[in-house]
Amino acid sequence: MQSRKVISKPQKESLVSPVIAAILSAIIPGLGQILARVVNRGLIILASFVTSLGLLIWRIATEGSRYTGWRTVVSKAYKLNPFLYAITALMVITYIYGIVDAYLTARPGAKKSKAIGMIFLIILVFFMQGWEIGQIDMGALFRDADEAVPALSKVVWPWEKAISYPEEYRTTIIDVQTPCTDVPFPAGEIKTDEPYLIADPTCGVPSVVEVSQGTEFHVVGGNFVPGKPVEFWWKDSANREFHHRVDGDYLIVTPDKDGSFEVSVIMPYRTLTAAAEEGVKVWQIQARQLISVGKAEFSEELKLAVEKMIETIFIGMMATFFGIILAIPVSFIAARNLMSHSPVTMAIYYLVRTILNIIRSIEPLIWAIIAVIVVGLGPFAGILALTLHSLAALAKLYSEAIESIDSGQIEAIQATGANWFQVVSHAVIPQIIPPFVSFTIYRWDINIRMSTVIGFVGGGGIGYLLAQWIRILDYRSAGIAVWFIAITVAILDFVSADIRERFV
């Protein structure tokens, strides 16, 4: 058996000499290749160089935007971002390589090469520009990774927060007056059968930010449960409560064996404006002590996660249902083989296809933002967003399934004199049921996944809850939500695979 030798055919004769081609490529990258009749390569080189040069100019302008004068802008940009030197050097190498390539390409009798080196350099230039634009810092990824470990560990194993123990606190209060008046404000009294607080003095003024420290109160407590911590809180004249802090830490004291303690607390900053605090006001010093812990029960976070996960599943389910109902009739008028019999039907076909492409090109997150503006926050907005996208996606998939059916059956039915509706019902529908089921299950799976994401923009479901927990840095609660999402998606993957196996 003889092996065949592949012989490269020489390309068409160049319109210019190799030297002229090289000079022209030095003036306009790719022009020499174009005149050497390697048009595609020349256009790729020209488009790539113009694009990369535009990106480089943009990055230089961005880095040096605080300066004036183009010389100053360029020098400052390279000084602030030395990575631009590497990009510029690589572009120069690519530019020179393009000139050499133009010379070699324009030589008489030159064989057509694949220009792998030029393609590699172009890809490398864009990769480096993407690295710089994306501000990729692998050093920061590994250097700061240890700082993320505590948060990630809470997300990976959040189940401590899935169980809660009802806590019962006993709150003991004493009122203090601000400001002091000529009439003495009553102090607390010593009690024999219940906890009490006594403050000295009984009046004072709040702290003023960066100006003065508030009144220091000497607080004596008695009849508390010995050995159990007592937390101190304040309630201002507007009934707003806040934990008392000392040097950034919460103030907590532990009563002695007699249930007594002494502590000094400074009146905190006012939470209202000075005008609102005018006149005599009464504040409270609160001492809260945990006295009992109840039995284990599911936490509110876990209950919320279950509730919102169910909501998420139904958002995806309802969006898929509505998407199917709307997409099926649209898919028949978006199938070329069914609409190519007259200019009118072809015009309808192109119109429907254009609308579907526009709807599908807009991501569900954007549709969710638009839906939230129209109907407000909640699951209905998420259903509307996913329904629109499902309509466009399923109609496209359904129509392509219709276009790929066996045309022989259609011609046979048409030969009997059947009308359009009879052709569809007898020749089209029996062939499209399996792919329709497959595409529907696939879309249902996508909608369930997307319904967890659109909640981030107010589309309801567990995504909305997850976004709130992340914003307040409650990583254990966020971890519970992530686990429910992962478990639900895994179950749905199994169910959808089983359904596809049965019906497709």
Side-chain angles (χ1 to χ4, degrees):
M1 189 173 181
Q2 295 181 350
S3 59
R4 292 185 178 180
K5 188 179 292 185
V6 179
I7 302 174
S8 299
K9 295 181 180 180
Q11 65 187 42
K12 294 179 181 179
E13 199 68 28
S14 174
L15 298 175
V16 295
S17 67
V19 174
I20 297 299
I23 293 173
L24 291 174
S25 280
I27 299 172
I28 301 177
L31 182 57
Q33 284 85 346
I34 294 173
L35 294 178
R37 294 192 175 184
V38 188
V39 178
N40 290 340
R41 184 188 303 183
L43 291 176
I44 291 172
I45 293 172
L46 176 60
S48 301
F49 190 84
V50 170
T51 303
S52 58
L53 182 61
L55 289 172
L56 179 62
I57 294 172
W58 167 55
R59 296 309 298 167
I60 291 172
T62 301
E63 293 290 346
S65 59
R66 290 175 294 178
Y67 305 95
T68 57
W70 69 269
R71 293 177 184 272
T72 306
V73 169
V74 171
S75 62
K76 292 294 184 180
Y78 279 92
K79 185 176 181 180
L80 292 171
N81 189 357
F83 194 74
L84 294 176
Y85 283 112
I87 296 174
T88 305
L90 188 58
M91 287 182 63
V92 171
I93 293 172
T94 306
Y95 171 75
I96 296 172
Y97 192 97
I99 296 172
V100 175
D101 181 75
Y103 178 86
L104 297 175
T105 303
R107 287 186 306 169
K111 295 179 181 180
K112 187 177 180 181
S113 64
K114 296 182 179 180
I116 297 175
M118 176 61 69
I119 294 172
F120 174 77
L121 284 174
I122 290 172
I123 292 174
L124 188 59
V125 167
F126 282 112
F127 176 80
M128 292 184 67
Q129 288 183 324
W131 188 284
E132 192 274 331
I133 292 171
Q135 299 179 5
I136 297 174
D137 186 357
M138 300 303 293
L141 176 63
F142 294 102
R143 183 176 60 250
D144 303 332
D146 57 334
E147 297 181 6
V149 170
L152 289 176
S153 63
K154 293 177 182 178
V155 173
V156 172
W157 193 255
W159 302 115
E160 291 179 16
K161 199 154 188 179
I163 303 297
S164 64
Y165 298 86
E167 298 176 338
E168 182 182 352
Y169 281 87
R170 176 186 289 152
T171 302
T172 305
I173 64 172
I174 183 171
D175 293 332
V176 294
Q177 179 181 281
T178 178
C180 294
T181 61
D182 295 335
V183 179
F185 192 75
E189 58 178 337
I190 298 176
K191 301 176 182 178
T192 57
D193 55 350
E194 60 180 291
Y196 65 87
L197 292 175
I198 296 177
D200 182 31
T202 58
C203 62
V205 293
S207 301
V208 179
V209 179
E210 297 183 354
V211 176
S212 62
Q213 182 176 281
T215 303
E216 182 175 350
F217 294 90
H218 182 71
V219 180
V220 176
N223 293 336
F224 285 82
V225 178
K228 285 196 172 184
V230 176
E231 301 177 354
F232 277 84
W233 290 67
W234 284 88
K235 180 188 281 188
D236 63 14
S237 57
N239 292 323
R240 288 181 289 191
E241 298 178 340
F242 44 93
H243 220 155
H244 187 85
R245 290 177 181 266
V246 177
D247 296 329
D249 297 322
Y250 293 127
L251 177 60
I252 299 175
V253 298
T254 303
D256 59 21
K257 61 181 181 179
D258 298 323
S260 302
F261 62 82
E262 295 185 18
V263 66
S264 295
V265 295
I266 296 173
M267 197 168 190
Y269 305 116
R270 63 166 59 94
T271 56
L272 299 175
T273 62
E277 287 282 12
E278 287 181 356
V280 177
K281 305 291 181 182
V282 175
W283 288 42
Q284 279 185 359
I285 302 176
Q286 301 180 351
R288 301 181 183 181
Q289 186 177 44
L290 179 65
I291 59 174
S292 67
V293 178
K295 295 181 179 179
E297 61 182 31
F298 293 125
S299 65
E300 287 299 317
E301 290 80 6
L302 182 67
K303 294 175 183 176
L304 272 174
V306 172
E307 176 187 334
K308 291 299 180 181
M309 196 66 242
I310 294 172
E311 185 178 287
T312 298
I313 294 171
F314 277 90
I315 288 173
M317 186 186 72
M318 296 303 293
T320 306
F321 175 78
F322 289 130
I324 294 169
I325 297 299
L326 296 172
I328 288 176
V330 173
S331 64
F332 287 98
I333 59 177
R336 179 185 286 271
N337 58 340
L338 299 181
M339 301 294 289
S340 59
H341 303 294
S342 72
V344 175
T345 55
M346 281 302 294
I348 295 173
Y349 163 79
Y350 284 116
L351 176 63
V352 172
R353 278 283 185 167
T354 302
I355 294 173
L356 292 178
N357 288 336
I358 293 172
I359 294 174
R360 197 176 65 256
S361 65
I362 301 174
E363 284 298 313
L365 276 174
I366 300 174
W367 283 122
I369 294 172
I370 296 172
V372 165
I373 296 172
V374 176
V375 300
L377 298 171
F380 185 39
I383 291 173
L384 285 178
L386 289 176
T387 297
L388 271 173
H389 204 267
S390 297
L391 161 63
L394 286 175
K396 178 181 182 294
L397 294 173
Y398 289 168
S399 64
E400 290 178 351
I402 294 171
E403 290 174 350
S404 62
I405 62 176
D406 181 13
S407 59
Q409 296 186 31
I410 297 177
E411 292 171 359
I413 297 294
Q414 287 175 338
T416 64
N419 58 33
W420 188 86
F421 292 101
Q422 290 171 329
V423 170
V424 170
S425 60
H426 291 87
V428 177
I429 291 178
Q431 297 187 66
I432 62 175
I433 289 177
F436 270 38
V437 172
S438 178
F439 293 144
T440 300
I441 294 171
Y442 174 67
R443 188 64 207 184
W444 178 50
D445 186 75
I446 290 175
N447 282 344
I448 295 296
R449 297 171 193 269
M450 283 303 304
S451 59
T452 64
V453 178
I454 60 174
F456 276 78
V457 294
I462 200 167
Y464 185 73
L465 198 61
L466 179 59
Q468 303 304 315
W469 282 333
I470 291 175
R471 288 191 185 103
I472 63 174
L473 306 181
D474 189 353
Y475 294 114
R476 290 201 186 277
S477 298
I480 292 174
V482 170
W483 268 87
F484 270 104
I485 292 170
I487 292 170
T488 302
V489 169
I491 293 173
L492 290 175
D493 276 344
F494 175 79
V495 172
S496 62
D498 186 65
I499 295 173
R500 190 179 293 108
E501 196 174 292
R502 291 171 181 270
F503 292 95
V504 180

